[in-house]
C-alpha cells in the first residue's frame, strides 16, 4: 500500500476544518446551496409560497403542533388532520381537552375541571361536570363551540388560513428544520410571518412563525394516514342542544 504523504494529510485536514467552519457560518462548501434539492430554493418567494400551499393541499394527512393566538387567547395544539376530520389535544388558559371530528360529528373530551371552568360553577355544583368527566361529548352543530373548535380539526380550512404570509414576500436564506434542509420565506421581513419550506422531496411547509406574535407551528407526517373512528357508545355523552360556555 502506498503511503499518503504527510503534507497531503495536513492539507486535507485543513480543508475539512475550513469547510466545517464555513458550514457553521451558514454558507456551505458547495457553490450551489440548492444542489441535490427539489429546486424550489431557486424560485422567487411568491412561487415558493404557491408551491408549498399546493403541496400541502395535495396530501390527505398531516400532523401539526405548536401554538395559535386567536381572539386574544393562546391555544396550544397537537393535532393530526386529514380530509375526513382530525384528532388531538388543545390547551388554553392552562386547561386541556381532546378534540375528535369524524365527518361532520365533533366530539370534545375533557376532565371535570374543564367543564367547571367552562360552566363557571362553584365547587358545590359539580354534578354535570362529574357526568362529563373523561367522556366524549357530542358538540351540536348549531352550538357556538362547534364553530370555535371544529376549525382546529379542519385540515384545509386551517392550512389555508395559516400558510398565508402577509405583506411583501421574500426569501430569507437556507435553513434546517429537524434535520431537513429548508428555504425560508418571510412576509414584510418577518413581521408578516416566516415559513420554512422543505428542500427535500415535496416542498411541504415544515415550520411557520405567524406574524404579530400570533404563534408558531411545526408540520410533519405529511401524507401518513392514521385511524379516525367515532368513540364507542359507552364513552360518549350527549349533553343536549348547547354546551356550557365560559
Amino acid at each position: 500500500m502506498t503511503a499518503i504523504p504527510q503534507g497531503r494529510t495536513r492539507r486535507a485536514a485543513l480543508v475539512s476544518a475550513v469547510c466545517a467552519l464555513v458550514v457553521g457560518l451558514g454558507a456551505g462548501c458547495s457553490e450551489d446551496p440548492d444542489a441535490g434539492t427539489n429546486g424550489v430554493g431557486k424560485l422567487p418567494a411568491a412561487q415558493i409560497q404557491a408551491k408549498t400551499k399546493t403541496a400541502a393541499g395535495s396530501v390527505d394527512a398531516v400532523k401539526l403542533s405548536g401554538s395559535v393566538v386567536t381572539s386574544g387567547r393562546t391555544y396550544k395544539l397537537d393535532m393530526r388532520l386529514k380530509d375526513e376530520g382530525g384528532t388531538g389535544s388543545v390547551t388554553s388558559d392552562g386547561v386541556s381537552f381532546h378534540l375528535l371530528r369524524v365527518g361532520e360529528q365533533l366530539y370534545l373530551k375533557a376532565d371535570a375541571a374543564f367543564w367547571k371552568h367552562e360552566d363557571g360553577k362553584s365547587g358545590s355544583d359539580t354534578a354535570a361536570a362529574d357526568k362529563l368527566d373523561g367522556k366524549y361529548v357530542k358538540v351540536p352543530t348549531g352550538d357556538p363551540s362547534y364553530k370555535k373548535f371544529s376549525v382546529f380539526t379542519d385540515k384545509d380550512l386551517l392550512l389555508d388560513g395559516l400558510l398565508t404570509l402577509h405583506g411583501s414576500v421574500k426569501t430569507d436564506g437556507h435553513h434546517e428544520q429537524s434535520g431537513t434542509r429548508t428555504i425560508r420565506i418571510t412576509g414584510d421581513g418577518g413581521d408578516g410571518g416566516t415559513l420554512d419550506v422543505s428542500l427535500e422531496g415535496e416542498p411541504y411547509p415544515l415550520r411557520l412563525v405567524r406574524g404579530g406574535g400570533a404563534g408558531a407551528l411545526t408540520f410533519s407526517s405529511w401524507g401518513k394516514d392514521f385511524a379516525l373512528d367515532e368513540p364507542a357508545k359507552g364513552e360518549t355523552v350527549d349533553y343536549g342542544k348547547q354546551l356550557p360556555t365560559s
Side-chain angles (χ1 to χ4, degrees), residues 25 53 66 70-71 81 106 158 164 180 183 191 245:
L25 294 175
K53 292 187 75 170
T70 179
S71 301
L81 310 174
L106 178 67
L158 194 59
T164 299
T180 299
I183 182 70
D191 291 340
T245 57

Side-chain angles (χ1 to χ4, degrees), residues 48-99:
I48 296 173
Q49 184 176 24
K51 280 188 171 292
T52 196
K53 292 187 75 170
T54 298
S58 68
V59 295
D60 294 336
V62 64
K63 180 179 180 180
L64 62 85
S65 58
S67 63
V68 172
V69 180
T70 179
S71 301
R73 296 184 69 172
T74 299
Y75 295 91
K76 293 182 179 180
L77 310 177
D78 188 8
M79 303 292 300
R80 298 200 71 174
L81 310 174
K82 61 181 179 179
D83 293 342
E84 297 81 10
T87 182
S89 64
V90 180
T91 301
S92 180
D93 293 336
V95 179
S96 298
F97 54 95
H98 186 90
L99 291 176

Side-chain angles (χ1 to χ4, degrees), residues 175-244:
H175 298 267
E176 185 178 292
Q177 177 62 36
S178 299
T180 299
R181 289 179 293 173
T182 67
I183 182 70
R184 181 172 297 170
I185 56 176
T186 68
D188 276 349
D191 291 340
T194 68
L195 184 65
D196 277 52
V197 178
S198 177
L199 288 175
E200 302 176 18
E202 294 297 320
Y204 296 128
L206 298 184
R207 178 171 170 78
L208 169 74
V209 179
R210 303 181 74 202
L217 291 162
T218 58
F219 306 91
S220 61
S221 300
W222 287 102
K224 294 184 179 180
D225 197 16
F226 59 95
L228 191 63
D229 302 313
E230 292 195 25
K233 289 185 178 180
E235 300 178 303
T236 307
V237 173
D238 191 346
Y239 190 87
K241 293 183 178 181
Q242 185 171 344
L243 300 183

